Amino acid sequence: MTLTSTLRDAAFRWIADDPDAASRAELQGVVARALGGDAAAADEVADRLAGPLEFGTAGLRGPVRAGPNGMNVAVVTRTTAGVAAWLTAQGHAGALVVVGRDARHGSEDFATAAAEVLTAAGFTVQALPRPLPTPLLAYAVKHLGAVAGIQITASHNPPADNGYKLYDATGGQIVPPSDGEIERAIQAAPGAVDVPREPGAGVVDLLGGYLDEIAALPLGAERIVRVAATALHGVGAETLRAAFERAGFTDLHLVEAQSTPDPDFPTVSFPNPEEPGATDLLLALAAEVDADLAIALDPDADRCALGVRERDGSWRMLRGDETGVLLGSTILSTVDRTMMPDPLVATTIVSSSLLGEIAKAEGARYAETLTGFKWLVRAGDDLVFAYEEALGLCVNPGFVRDKDGIAAATLAAGLTAWLRAEGRTPLDVLDELAQRHGVYVTDQVSLRVTDLSVRGRLMGKLREAPPAEVGGVAVTLEDLLPDADVLRLTGDGVRIVVRPSGTEPKLKAYLQVVEPVRDSLADARAAAGTRLTALRTDVAALLS
């Protein structure tokens, strides 16, 4: 394409309002190439101006680049001006806000901009002292009684991205209608160059208190356990080691090549423990040191994946649902019923429903929420554990109202140490749960799209003409609109949940098969696997 006068003028207006010299020069360069006849540059200008980035309940996420459709100082400045206006409208003028960051490209500049905008708007601002895990920011909001917290992070997104995550006065992530109110406040904000900024934020270091809280979790009495772990080039290695030391676990082996924060993530193509190949170095290290447990944190350390040694000696990563029920059953077995007689555990509508059966057997309450920890931590009173299948685990809702990979990893080490002393492993616990409640197997089918409208068309097609049978099982459709853009298909021992992803350009289908154990566990697992394969094939065809 060629650069239209409308796009050219919009780009020049953005450049004029951008307070950051480097971003101005970057966009000027792209515009100059486009004006010189470079069609690819013209396309790039159009893409950079296609925004602004939408502010949702997950905050902002996007590529670090100049323009309204990217993460840059100007976007962060206007976003924070909107947040400040929203907080003031909520009656929180002048109150405390905490700001933290990870180690991605731009994080330090973005955190500084956010802190300075809030300071100039009259808020008291405390910043975390260095790049630290997101759970530290969530802990700080709750511990300090702040009215909000801002974490600059893109979690496990690709290296080119960064993001802006907002916590409210509850210590959890924002939920509707707050996101819409903030979005409107951002739209009403002036150009970034006209937003006042003022240095003067304080510095607060709460790591010691956070580590003390983790050490007080129900970790058991055993401390002999060897753990291999990776931070995937994120900010979790130092905090994980400190948490283990505080709790008394001293035999920790870190993947050296991935322990230092590096925003380019040089050893992984996608810094997400769920992605194929991301944990190869971890599992190699676990085998090399003869570990009892492997742990992978995502780059901002709010997610935790566990790896175990199979009975044939090979290593594999547990699925998020396996880890969820493993740690959930552990928490339920250790709750002091004199202090909390009616505990609650929660997961999401796309996660395994096995946790509900475990809760029933333990005489505990169980809740399913929409996807996202913003809903999970609001599941109800006396919440003791929550998880989502995408490796999000909250074993410590009393002091972090969000997923916490550091705390989950430490609890997993305690569980594995106790099992080791008894001559057992996490796989034995999973076998026992399956024998007791049946085999629950889960999987996911994802369709990645370049045109987001494709997701809407496919969801519409499923609503208009739902399948009568999937994987050889008769199913019925339940539409969760208007509460959520989610379709649920259920049948005998089968559940399929279809939804557009909130953070990626994907349409996702979450599959579950339940098979009772009649004769042998091996036979039940084989039958469940066969049914899941048939289900996956049919669902993939539905999404094609």
Side-chain angles (χ1 to χ4, degrees):
M1 66 173 289
T2 58
L3 188 66
T4 65
S5 59
T6 300
L7 278 177
R8 179 201 63 203
D9 293 346
F12 286 150
R13 283 194 300 272
W14 181 266
I15 290 167
D17 283 339
D18 191 335
D20 183 66
S23 290
R24 290 197 303 270
E26 178 188 331
L27 188 52
Q28 285 169 342
V30 180
V31 172
R33 294 198 301 275
L35 290 172
D38 187 329
D43 288 340
E44 185 176 345
V45 172
D47 187 42
R48 287 175 183 246
L49 297 178
L53 289 181
E54 181 180 349
F55 192 94
T57 53
L60 299 174
R61 283 193 195 176
V64 178
R65 61 181 184 179
N69 195 21
M71 281 293 295
N72 51 69
V73 169
V75 165
V76 169
T77 297
R78 295 190 72 248
T79 297
T80 309
V83 169
W86 174 74
L87 288 171
T88 299
Q90 299 293 312
H92 297 312
L96 174 63
V97 181
V98 188
V99 178
R101 62 184 173 96
D102 66 10
R104 283 179 176 263
H105 290 297
S107 286
E108 184 172 5
D109 289 341
F110 301 160
T112 298
E116 290 184 354
V117 169
L118 288 164
T119 300
F123 290 88
T124 300
V125 182
Q126 294 286 340
L128 300 187
R130 57 190 177 279
L132 285 166
T134 295
L136 260 295
L137 187 280
Y139 169 75
V141 173
K142 192 172 189 302
H143 182 77
L144 296 174
V147 297
I150 295 167
Q151 178 78 352
I152 303 298
T153 180
S155 189
H156 55 280
N157 272 39
D161 288 357
N162 211 327
Y164 184 110
K165 183 179 289 188
L166 181 65
Y167 293 80
D168 64 18
T170 69
Q173 296 177 48
I174 60 168
V175 295
S178 296
D179 55 335
E181 295 166 351
I182 295 167
E183 177 71 20
R184 289 189 288 276
I186 295 169
Q187 292 170 357
V193 73
D194 295 320
V195 174
R197 289 177 52 174
E198 182 179 324
V203 177
V204 60
D205 192 344
L206 300 175
L207 181 60
Y210 169 75
L211 297 177
D212 287 341
E213 294 274 18
I214 289 178
L217 290 171
L219 304 176
E222 302 295 335
R223 290 296 180 270
I224 298 176
V225 62
R226 179 169 297 165
V227 177
T230 179
L232 288 185
H233 300 293
V235 297
E238 177 186 333
T239 304
L240 181 65
R241 184 182 292 281
F244 270 38
E245 289 177 352
R246 187 70 57 95
F249 301 113
T250 58
D251 198 355
L252 174 65
H253 301 257
L254 291 167
V255 176
E256 186 176 348
Q258 298 175 334
S259 292
T260 302
D262 188 332
D264 293 320
F265 303 98
T267 68
V268 289
S269 57
F270 202 116
N272 181 349
E274 291 182 293
E275 291 292 324
T279 58
D280 286 355
L281 293 180
L282 169 66
L283 296 183
L285 177 64
E288 177 186 336
V289 303
D290 193 25
D292 300 301
L293 179 70
I295 294 171
L297 302 174
D298 75 336
D300 70 331
D302 64 349
R303 285 174 170 82
C304 171
L306 302 183
V308 295
R309 181 165 36 205
E310 293 277 22
R311 292 180 175 87
D312 64 2
S314 63
W315 279 84
R316 75 169 176 94
M317 301 303 295
L318 295 179
R319 297 187 64 85
D321 282 317
E322 292 177 301
T323 299
V325 299
L326 181 70
L327 297 189
S329 64
T330 300
I331 289 290
L332 281 174
S333 69
T334 59
V335 172
D336 184 346
R337 293 303 181 92
T338 62
M339 298 292 293
M340 191 172 291
D342 194 22
L344 170 70
V345 295
T347 189
T348 69
I349 59 173
V350 303
S351 303
S352 171
S353 54
L354 175 55
L355 183 63
E357 297 303 309
I358 297 169
K360 187 187 302 180
E362 292 285 346
R365 289 178 296 133
Y366 169 73
E368 288 184 3
T369 74
L370 297 176
T371 54
F373 258 84
K374 58 184 176 288
W375 300 116
L376 281 172
V377 297
R378 293 172 169 87
D381 294 334
D382 295 328
L383 181 70
V384 296
F385 173 77
Y387 95 92
E388 59 183 356
E389 51 77 39
L391 307 179
L393 298 148
C394 179
V395 302
N396 51 333
F399 61 95
V400 172
R401 287 177 56 80
D402 198 8
K403 51 191 174 290
D404 186 343
I406 302 294
T410 310
L411 183 73
L415 169 63
T416 306
W418 170 65
L419 292 171
R420 185 182 187 278
E422 292 197 337
R424 298 194 298 151
T425 74
L427 288 180
D428 293 314
V429 177
L430 292 174
D431 284 351
E432 292 161 10
L433 292 172
Q435 288 278 12
R436 194 174 306 138
H437 304 292
V439 173
Y440 285 66
V441 290
T442 57
D443 202 356
Q444 186 182 131
V445 175
S446 294
L447 173 68
R448 182 177 288 273
V449 299
T450 54
D451 179 1
L452 293 181
S453 67
V454 171
R455 303 189 305 182
R457 289 199 296 272
L458 286 172
M459 291 292 285
K461 179 181 175 183
L462 286 173
R463 285 188 168 96
E464 292 169 8
E469 181 179 292
V470 183
V473 177
V475 293
T476 57
L477 176 72
E478 179 185 5
D479 192 343
L480 273 61
L481 282 176
D483 294 329
D485 187 10
V486 175
L487 297 173
R488 182 158 50 195
L489 294 157
T490 54
D492 183 20
V494 166
R495 188 198 68 194
I496 305 151
V497 181
V498 185
R499 60 179 280 268
S501 170
T503 58
E504 300 176 278
K506 290 181 178 180
L507 185 65
K508 293 185 174 182
Y510 303 83
L511 319 180
Q512 175 178 275
V513 166
V514 181
E515 184 74 25
V517 180
R518 296 184 177 89
D519 297 317
S520 74
L521 181 57
D523 288 345
R525 284 201 166 124
T530 299
R531 294 178 65 196
L532 186 65
T533 298
L535 198 66
R536 187 190 303 113
T537 299
D538 283 2
V539 170
L542 281 174
L543 299 188
S544 65

